[in-house]
Amino acid sequence: GAVVSQHPSRVICKSGTSVKIECRSLDFQATTMFWYRQFPKQSLMLMATSNEGSKATYEQGVEKDKFLINHASLTLSTLTVTSAHPEDSSFYICSAKDPRGNTEAFFGQGTRLTVV
Amino acid sequence: AQKITQTQPGMFVQEKEAVTLDCTYDTSDQSYGLFWYKQPSSGEMIFLIYQGSYDEQNATEGRYSLNFQKARKSANLVISASQLGDSAMYFCAPERGDTGRRALTFGSGTRLQVQP
């Protein structure tokens, strides 16, 4: 079964509104989670590293005020797309690694965001 | 920035045959991990295989194996006995960053189509 759960799987929102995406580690505590974005027919691009108890680290070119990341507990990170625009429509996916020595990075199911 | 090259945007293979998907990367890290993931049309990321840079043996996981050549910074995925269900996008993804907080950087991917 899934060890990283992401919700919602699909969301449609109006331009100008905000959308929150949740990423939960189910079987382990994750001090670090990663958020990726994938446009159609493209690869996954790292947006930011979510750090429990501290500020997220954003990749170059990613607006931190637009993509708010909160990692308030060891099992939950949230990504909020604020004032969404149609160009924010994309597939957002999170991942986390079990710190107990497992090398695999587990991914959530992904969220397909459509801004209309 | 780390650069990952997957030179084959699309590949065809006959069912039951083997196929090799290429991946080269650049990194200045001495110790790192190298992952391959499969992404079917549903969007989920499925872990296939992992190679540690200091592992002396090439990694194998069932029908998947890696042809890892560290000096050439090459980690080609070999899928043996292809099945129709293997049709998907395949991404090569080296780790980057500090130990314990390593994010994955993804190549552009190869779309594999298995033909009956």
Side-chain angles (χ1 to χ4, degrees), chain B residues 32-101:
Chain B
Y32 55 90
L34 194 294
F35 294 79
W36 275 88
Y37 280 84
K38 169 185 176 181
Q39 187 180 42
S41 57
S42 61
E44 63 182 312
M45 295 295 285
I46 301 170
F47 167 76
L48 297 179
I49 196 166
Y50 168 84
Q51 177 82 46
S53 61
Y54 280 103
D55 293 341
E56 294 187 355
Q57 302 234 347
N58 285 340
T60 61
E61 286 283 352
R63 293 187 299 112
Y64 304 107
S65 61
L66 274 182
N67 181 359
F68 181 57
Q69 298 182 47
K70 186 176 180 179
R72 296 182 58 190
K73 297 184 179 177
S74 163
N76 298 338
L77 176 70
V78 180
I79 305 174
S80 62
S82 297
Q83 302 173 355
L84 295 177
D86 293 336
S87 295
M89 282 292 289
Y90 288 79
F91 293 101
C92 171
E95 284 183 317
R96 68 175 177 95
D98 297 332
T99 302
R101 295 191 174 205

Side-chain angles (χ1 to χ4, degrees), chain A residues 36 38 43 51 59 97 105, chain B residues 37 39 95-96 101 104 107:
Chain A
Y36 296 85
Q38 185 180 30
S43 186
N51 306 303
E59 295 300 298
K97 292 185 74 171
Chain B
Y37 280 84
Q39 187 180 42
E95 284 183 317
R96 68 175 177 95
R101 295 191 174 205
L104 299 183

Side-chain angles (χ1 to χ4, degrees), chain A residues 35 45-49 57-63, chain B residues 96 103:
Chain A
W35 287 96
M45 298 298 294
L46 180 67
M47 298 176 66
T49 302
T57 306
Y58 290 83
E59 295 300 298
Q60 191 172 9
V62 178
E63 300 174 58
Chain B
R96 68 175 177 95

Side-chain angles (χ1 to χ4, degrees), chain A residues 70-114:
Chain A
N70 187 307
H71 196 147
S73 79
L74 286 169
T75 58
L76 174 64
S77 175
T78 60
L79 169 68
T80 301
V81 183
T82 63
S83 187
H85 290 119
E87 56 265 33
D88 298 325
S89 298
S90 187
F91 187 66
Y92 294 86
I93 191 165
C94 67
S95 80
K97 292 185 74 171
D98 189 334
R100 295 171 293 183
N102 196 322
T103 56
E104 179 181 348
F106 297 101
F107 282 81
Q109 302 93 325
T111 298
R112 194 162 302 281
L113 170 64
T114 304

